[in-house]
Amino acid sequence: MFNPDKFQWRTFDVSEGIPAHVLPWLLDNSSLTEKLKNKYSDFHVTVISQAESTPYACELALLRDNPSKIIIVREVELMGEQQPVVFARSVIPKTIDTEKLLAIGSRPLGEILFDDPLIYRDQLEVGQHQNTWARRSTFVVGATKLLVSEIFLEKLYA
């Protein structure tokens, strides 16, 4: 569904002219889950898939140095007003550090990532493909690095 190779990933640069209505979503350092819950009273997560998979090369490059050879790819839609507003793809190496994350079902991953003081956000990149904006972040859980990509759908800004 989402091919991260199509996006032009980079570190944010203020001079690049990202639309003003996109910036608060793209650059927010807090939990996207909390931000969406504040905007949509009916916010929920729809899990599209969660299975062992081979990530894209650009994703693997960000996850180098991970102890696991088994990678779980989780794809979800973050829903508001009964429609998808964000598509998220998480690339999670299967390790002892990520056991709890992989067992969350339809709970938002952001609830766990931002509520656990031992988990921290590392690198953040922004990307664009045509008129669609996205961001991706690595998070560190114990000795394991995982990747979360969030694609902001046009309905989010309406």
Side-chain angles (χ1 to χ4, degrees):
M1 184 177 227
F2 163 67
N3 181 345
D5 286 332
K6 290 182 179 180
F7 283 75
Q8 301 162 2
W9 296 106
R10 64 226 179 246
T11 304
F12 172 71
D13 179 350
V14 307
S15 68
E16 68 178 284
I18 294 173
H21 66 279
V22 175
L23 279 173
W25 295 98
L26 215 59
L27 301 180
D28 191 80
N29 284 326
S30 62
S31 168
L32 178 61
T33 298
E34 281 306 310
K35 196 167 184 156
L36 290 170
K37 283 181 178 180
N38 289 334
K39 181 172 174 134
Y40 301 106
S41 60
D42 68 339
F43 170 80
H44 67 279
V45 173
T46 300
V47 178
I48 298 168
S49 65
Q50 180 173 321
E52 187 175 334
S53 185
T54 302
Y56 290 91
C58 69
E59 294 172 324
L60 284 173
L62 291 173
L63 295 177
R64 65 185 180 282
D65 304 329
N66 266 305
S68 177
K69 298 293 184 226
I70 299 172
I71 306 283
I72 305 298
V73 175
R74 173 182 163 98
E75 295 184 331
V76 300
E77 291 175 324
L78 306 180
M79 309 289 287
E81 297 177 355
Q82 303 302 314
Q83 58 191 345
V85 292
V86 176
F87 175 77
R89 176 180 167 92
S90 302
V91 180
I92 307 169
K94 189 173 183 179
T95 67
I96 191 103
D97 298 323
T98 60
E99 283 179 345
K100 279 197 256 182
L101 294 177
L102 293 171
I104 63 172
S106 62
R107 283 184 56 207
L109 183 60
E111 279 183 2
I112 297 160
L113 295 177
F114 284 91
D115 287 349
D116 187 333
L118 299 177
I119 298 174
Y120 68 92
R121 183 187 232 164
D122 200 6
Q123 181 178 345
L124 170 72
E125 295 179 328
V126 298
Q128 179 186 11
H129 174 64
Q130 297 172 346
N131 291 326
T132 303
W133 288 91
R135 69 179 184 185
R136 66 182 182 181
S137 306
T138 53
F139 288 85
V140 179
V141 182
T144 307
K145 188 184 280 190
L146 60 102
L147 176 66
V148 177
S149 300
E150 298 154 328
I151 299 84
F152 301 101
L153 305 176
E154 199 60 39
K155 292 178 184 351
L156 175 65
Y157 314 117

